Amino acid sequence: MKLSLRWLKEYVDIPTDDPLEIEGVFASLGHEVEGFEVLEVPFSKVTVGRVVEIEKHPNADRLRFCRVDLGDGDLHEIVCGAWNFETGDIVAVSVPGAVLAGGLEVGVRTIRGVTSHGMICSAAELGLGDDHSGIMVLDPDTPLGADFAGFVPFPDVVYDVSITPNRPDAMSVIGLAREFAAYYRTEVRMPESKPVTIDRPSPVEVTIEDTKGCPRYVGWQVDGVKIAPSPIWMQQRLRASEVRPINNVVDITNYVLLELGQPLHGFDLDEVADHKIVVRRARTGETLKTLDGVDRELDVLDLMICDGRGIVAFAGIMGGEESEVTDSTSRVLIEAANFHPPSVMFSSKRHGLRTEASARFERGVDPNLPALAAGRAAHLMVELAGGEALADVRDCYPSVIEPWTVDLDVGEVERILGVPFDRDAVVDLLSRFRMEVEGDSPLRVTVPTNRPDLTRPADLIEEIARLHGYDKFPETLPSGPAGGLSTSQVRDRRVREIMVGLGMHEAQTMTFLGRSELDALALPDDDPRRAAIRVRNPLREEEAYLRTTLLPNLLKAVQYNVSHGLSHVSLFEVGKVFLSAPDPDDPRVPDQPIHLAFIAVGDTGARGLHSTPRATDVYTSTGIVQALFDRLGLQVRIRQAAPAGFHPGRAAEVLLAEEVIGTIGELHPAVGRAFGIEGRVAAGELMLAPLLADDDWWQLEAPSTYPRVEFDLAFVLEERTAASAVVQAIQAAAGDWLESVTVFDEFRGESIGEGRKSLALRLVFRAPDHTLTNEEVAPHRETIISAVAEVTGGQLRGV
């Protein structure tokens, strides 16, 4: 927010004028200053005058010839092109020798044959605004002949202060004045908020149908107002705060908003049907034309201000056109209300309508501020618009919100801040923020209702720290164990490095998906991944659910790359999935395990998996997993399976310590086509946690220095027999001397019969303490042949 230092000093004594020193105070109090601007009077020799005579210019239809009294006994003849003033108006006059904004020097000029001795000035010519359309008409009580510079609130310094979202109380001049008062140990001078009132009944009726959306509504009637420009000092303060002046009544509502932090709205009471105000939610099909001229279709969750006829304002955001204050307004109803922050925030975002009012309401305005703010606005309307404030005020406050208490252990202050604070110091610091403190330890602290951010002891300790001064805390080195990555963090990074080393690129996709993606993955109805959690407020229906698998969005990323001309794409992702089952550690939230998934299409290239390019297939998936586990030092087992979405003959389960941790293989061609991908698609998805777990204790076994014995066996098997079953049977029967067993060939042909296949395996034996002979290995060979026959039904080929 923009803050005028001159305005701030009206309410609090600040013992310095140095802009940099004041910027340092802001920083010490936790408010960042993004910059400041020093403002000086941008003109000289501009005098207050009164227009005495106006005549038509003899030689120009669009010009007027004026005689102006500057209080020096002479009438000064000036040619002017503006038409927004009349005889008797008080104006700002630049005489010959005056210098205007931008450095323009005023002299005597002849305009269409008539001599002009100076200029009657507009706001733009004086550097006080952007309005070139007409001259500035001043307050009738402005004294003639006075130097106009004395009526302009310059010099000044305007700060651009960044207020954090949790500090709605600081979004006003008074709010920041309280901060400076606490810092300098002084008092805040509150502005006058008790107008002279007229004892006359008000016809206004106020009804709050939604007390949660509107806990409080104050309506204050002011009659007999005269719409006119607001005083120069008020206009300049509004402009410094980047608010456009409109007229005295509207400017007063904006001025009080900036001054006190309470958004206000002024209704033309003659346009409020039946003098009724009703606060309720919008109904289906209702619309409102707001002050910006936009017709808005309302949602049933939008909070509205209505009269006896219909909707007149968007609660907490913007008024409607039908009841706005115009030049003919004579009776004003000042609205000062308190609205539910989330309600205002969601409506503001829903309609793309953010205002000074909504920026404050969505953070939380003090519910006990409306009466004070309405009184302040009524006082200004009496003073500056000639109005009469009625004593009969409407204040609907069904459930009064009282200050709350927080218990603070004095010892906790030292524990968190690392510096000792005694009770008296803590009480002093908190009291300077207008908090009442009682007791010894714990202290019972009463928090004022304008501080919704103070609800815990830690919040109070933060207040103590910032008022004590962050720069006063000694510099210390942190103590405790040295930092470093945990085992799981190291292995997580290692997994990513390995996947990149295998020629893949890491992707990060959205955590949302739609039902259509789960359908495209061909998941059966009873698949747990179908039980996706719906997002309460999705941005769009196509992304209305939290993902239960990484594959759909990763497939869309691959399709995007392929559609842009890439012939081969290999992506992987590490990320959370969201399951319907409760989290084991916190049942209040869904289980959110981290998965690793990958997709590869096209030629895999020659960088990681293969020395020469080859087409993607099921062996791409098995190769990725085997390489990953080997480099992590883990023993993996791949077991043939037919998981949903995968090709039934080209897919498998991945087992670690005999527990299934994922699936790999080729996706079913129909699934690939559903995602716009032609050809074979290698894919896999694994649970990451088992890969990151700490290793069990292991013991080094010295490698044998003796030569190995190597031989091959080929078995004829049924087509459906998995190679892994043969390998497991061999490992179970071979004994301790077996060093490795590897499948190196698979054959099908007429010589072995239809529906059968031949599997060739290479076995390596080695003894730790001597050289093996063929005679020693022969019994093991026979045992293996018998075990394979018993377990799989396979027969040794060639027998």
Side-chain angles (χ1 to χ4, degrees), residues 133-421:
S133 61
I135 60 95
M136 293 182 67
V137 178
L138 307 181
D139 190 305
D141 296 329
T142 310
L144 293 182
D147 185 354
F148 182 62
F151 301 94
V152 178
F154 295 147
D156 198 2
V157 180
V158 176
Y159 291 90
D160 188 358
V161 186
S162 178
I163 305 298
T164 56
N166 67 323
R167 292 298 308 278
D169 63 294
M171 293 188 71
S172 66
V173 181
I174 288 295
L176 291 173
R178 290 191 180 113
E179 297 279 289
F180 274 77
Y183 184 87
Y184 286 115
R185 294 180 178 272
T186 186
E187 297 297 323
V188 174
R189 296 181 292 273
M190 293 298 292
E192 179 59 56
S193 59
K194 294 181 179 180
V196 176
T197 57
I198 303 298
D199 190 13
R200 186 166 62 236
S202 170
V204 175
E205 299 178 17
V206 176
T207 303
I208 303 176
E209 293 185 1
D210 188 334
T211 55
K212 181 180 180 182
C214 178
R216 188 179 189 184
Y217 191 100
V218 174
W220 199 317
Q221 182 176 339
V222 180
D223 293 345
V225 298
K226 298 176 180 61
I227 303 301
S230 55
I232 294 298
W233 60 267
M234 179 174 284
Q235 292 189 37
Q236 287 309 115
R237 284 182 175 175
L238 292 176
R239 287 193 180 99
S241 301
E242 298 183 338
V243 176
R244 180 174 62 90
I246 298 174
N247 59 51
N248 50 2
V249 170
V250 175
D251 290 354
I252 286 169
T253 62
N254 289 329
Y255 183 85
V256 174
L257 176 147
L258 297 170
E259 182 182 53
L260 298 177
Q262 170 67 54
L264 303 177
H265 184 67
F267 292 104
D268 185 335
L269 189 54
D270 292 325
E271 298 299 326
V272 176
D274 304 328
H275 296 147
K276 290 183 178 180
I277 293 292
V278 179
V279 186
R280 62 170 175 82
R281 299 286 174 175
R283 294 168 185 151
T284 303
E286 286 187 317
T287 61
L288 171 66
K289 190 172 187 178
T290 46
L291 288 174
D292 56 0
V294 178
D295 287 307
R296 302 184 183 276
E297 295 183 5
L298 304 177
D299 189 277
V300 293
L301 296 177
D302 294 330
L303 192 64
M304 296 288 119
I305 309 298
C306 308
D307 62 5
R309 186 170 46 238
I311 297 174
V312 293
F314 215 137
I317 301 176
M318 184 178 284
E321 276 194 350
E322 291 185 2
S323 59
E324 69 175 316
V325 172
T326 65
D327 291 344
S328 61
T329 298
S330 62
R331 295 197 303 164
V332 175
L333 177 65
I334 302 169
E335 172 193 275
N338 185 261
F339 298 114
H340 187 226
S343 177
V344 175
M345 180 185 68
F346 286 125
S347 290
S348 175
K349 291 183 180 296
R350 190 180 298 118
H351 294 275
L353 185 60
R354 185 170 177 81
T355 61
E356 290 286 345
S358 68
R360 286 161 174 79
F361 277 127
E362 68 186 26
R363 299 181 186 208
V365 176
D366 182 1
N368 293 311
L369 183 58
L372 176 71
R376 173 61 172 162
H379 170 77
L380 291 173
M381 288 184 190
V382 170
E383 189 176 72
L384 304 179
E388 296 179 338
L390 273 59
D392 188 16
V393 179
R394 300 290 176 263
D395 187 354
C396 294
Y397 199 1
S399 299
V400 176
I401 298 173
E402 302 286 354
W404 54 92
T405 60
V406 179
D407 289 341
L408 175 62
D409 189 331
V410 176
E412 191 72 358
V413 180
E414 179 178 353
R415 188 188 72 80
I416 291 180
L417 298 182
V419 175
F421 285 85

Side-chain angles (χ1 to χ4, degrees), residues 35 121 264 512 762 787:
C121 300
L264 303 177
F512 307 112
R762 180 159 296 145

Side-chain angles (χ1 to χ4, degrees), residues 407-563:
D407 289 341
L408 175 62
D409 189 331
V410 176
E412 191 72 358
V413 180
E414 179 178 353
R415 188 188 72 80
I416 291 180
L417 298 182
V419 175
F421 285 85
D422 60 26
R423 178 192 180 279
D424 292 342
V426 172
V427 171
D428 173 62
L429 291 168
L430 292 177
S431 298
R432 285 156 62 184
F433 280 127
R434 300 169 55 244
M435 300 181 209
E436 297 179 4
V437 185
E438 299 175 345
D440 291 320
S441 188
L443 300 174
R444 173 144 292 189
V445 182
T446 301
V447 180
T449 54
N450 70 318
R451 293 300 304 273
D453 58 310
L454 304 181
T455 59
R456 307 169 301 163
D459 300 328
L460 300 179
I461 294 172
E462 182 181 4
E463 296 296 286
I464 293 169
R466 70 186 185 93
L467 191 53
H468 173 74
Y470 294 119
D471 57 335
K472 295 179 181 178
F473 288 94
E475 295 181 2
T476 58
L477 291 174
S479 59
L485 300 176
S486 66
T487 302
S488 62
Q489 289 173 325
V490 171
R491 293 181 74 89
D492 179 275
R493 294 189 179 189
R494 180 61 179 146
V495 166
R496 298 171 196 260
E497 291 172 358
I498 293 170
M499 296 300 287
V500 172
L502 292 172
M504 311 197 80
H505 297 275
E506 185 171 5
Q508 288 186 339
T509 65
M510 292 284 288
T511 56
F512 307 112
L513 47 70
R515 284 289 184 191
S516 59
E517 278 86 2
L518 297 177
D519 294 337
L521 206 57
L523 300 179
D525 293 339
D526 58 351
D527 192 298
R529 290 171 290 179
R530 283 276 189 188
I533 300 169
R534 183 175 176 83
V535 179
R536 181 172 296 177
N537 55 338
L539 295 176
R540 54 187 189 141
E541 192 59 32
E542 291 82 358
E543 297 173 347
Y545 295 87
L546 293 173
R547 66 187 180 190
T548 55
T549 168
L550 301 181
L551 292 178
N553 288 339
L554 203 55
L555 281 165
K556 289 195 291 185
V558 169
Q559 189 277 332
Y560 177 86
N561 282 274
V562 171
S563 67

